[in-house]
Amino acid sequence: DIQMTQSPSSLSTSVGDRVTITCRASQDISNYIAWYQQKPGKVPKLLIYLATTLQSGVPSRFSGSRSGTDFTLTISSLQPEDVATYYCQNYNSPPITFGQGTRLEIK
Amino acid sequence: QVQLKESGPGVVKPSETLSLTCFVSGFPVNSGYFWGWIRQPPGKGLEWIGSIFHSGTTYYNPSLASRVALSIDTSKNQFSLRLTSATAADTAVYYCARTLGGSAANPFLFWGLGAPVAVST
């Protein structure tokens, strides 16, 4: 199975800051990675797929990038409503695997 | 608009079978997308359980494959999960979901609200 190593596990930063979350795949998954946002007590929401494609309706401050087997979710300017846990997901082929999650808080 | 809703017992005794059904509205389950189950233990991350196509093609998480079976009923527009020999480690919120695209190699776009299941005596 492909392992997705996500870092950091938690992050506390200020409104307006640039935030970067990383996932490293244990082998090549091409661009088959998605990023989800899960607010406390809520359902996961798809933010980005195919590493860089923004899902419809998602604010443009969210972006994704790829360098080999390293993938990054960036929030360009953190907003209070971005407090959530973020997960990466490998969907290159079954089995589908998720990263461990990054809990994002506001200082 | 695709809507999914999980239905299940809430509590299952250890060693018994955990069964959940996902009722789909606003979209036919035989329309060429994969339908999946994902679970989340309390305070923990997401774990994919398996996915099913309307043809009956299934993919399972290898860690659960010996205990899991997915099925789909196109006449009732629903799909189901059965997990045998339940233990406390199966306590979780169980989500059903539909993929963004028509192959198994797709993220999940539409999700149900989740059904909490506790395995307990």
Side-chain angles (χ1 to χ4, degrees):
Chain A
D1 299 355
I2 296 172
Q3 307 303 316
M4 302 298 288
T5 304
Q6 187 172 343
S7 62
S9 58
S10 64
L11 189 56
S12 182
T13 188
S14 301
V15 172
D17 281 359
R18 183 180 183 89
V19 173
T20 298
I21 298 169
T22 299
C23 259
R24 173 169 290 174
S26 60
Q27 57 187 275
D28 180 29
I29 60 169
S30 186
N31 285 335
Y32 293 106
I33 188 170
W35 292 94
Y36 295 86
Q37 175 193 64
Q38 186 178 31
K39 295 184 177 181
K42 300 297 185 181
V43 177
K45 174 186 175 183
L46 179 64
L47 297 177
I48 288 170
Y49 60 96
L50 281 176
T52 61
T53 302
L54 202 64
Q55 173 60 24
S56 176
V58 173
S60 59
R61 64 180 180 273
F62 291 92
S63 64
S65 63
R66 172 194 176 191
S67 177
T69 58
D70 290 341
F71 300 86
T72 299
L73 170 69
T74 299
I75 308 173
S76 60
S77 178
L78 186 68
Q79 300 302 302
E81 60 267 30
D82 299 335
V83 169
T85 300
Y86 294 83
Y87 295 94
C88 63
Q89 176 204 23
N90 148 55
Y91 59 94
N92 178 56
S93 62
I96 292 166
T97 50
F98 289 92
Q100 302 93 324
T102 296
R103 185 173 180 177
L104 178 58
E105 299 176 337
I106 302 278
K107 278 183 184 174
Chain B
Q1 177 72 357
V2 184
Q3 292 189 325
L4 302 95
K5 184 174 183 180
E6 305 86 352
S7 178
V11 180
V12 175
K13 289 183 168 56
S15 80
E16 294 190 345
T17 296
L18 185 160
S19 296
L20 290 166
T21 296
C22 184
F23 298 95
V24 181
S25 59
F27 199 86
V29 297
N30 63 355
S31 59
Y33 290 81
F34 271 82
W35 305 88
W37 290 95
I38 303 98
R39 70 180 183 179
Q40 185 170 36
K44 296 187 178 180
L46 301 167
E47 180 182 32
W48 173 72
I49 299 170
S51 297
I52 187 166
F53 197 64
H54 66 83
S55 63
T57 297
T58 53
Y59 297 99
Y60 296 128
N61 186 325
S63 68
L64 298 169
S66 64
R67 299 194 292 129
V68 170
L70 302 191
S71 59
I72 193 163
D73 187 335
T74 57
S75 66
K76 295 182 179 178
N77 217 46
Q78 64 189 47
F79 60 104
S80 299
L81 161 71
R82 292 182 78 250
L83 181 66
T84 61
S85 304
T87 71
D90 296 315
T91 294
V93 174
Y94 286 75
Y95 296 99
C96 60
R98 197 209 82 178
T99 54
L100 172 67
S103 74
N106 264 278
F108 294 106
L109 177 59
F110 298 103
W111 294 64
L113 294 179
V117 178
V119 180
S120 173
T121 55

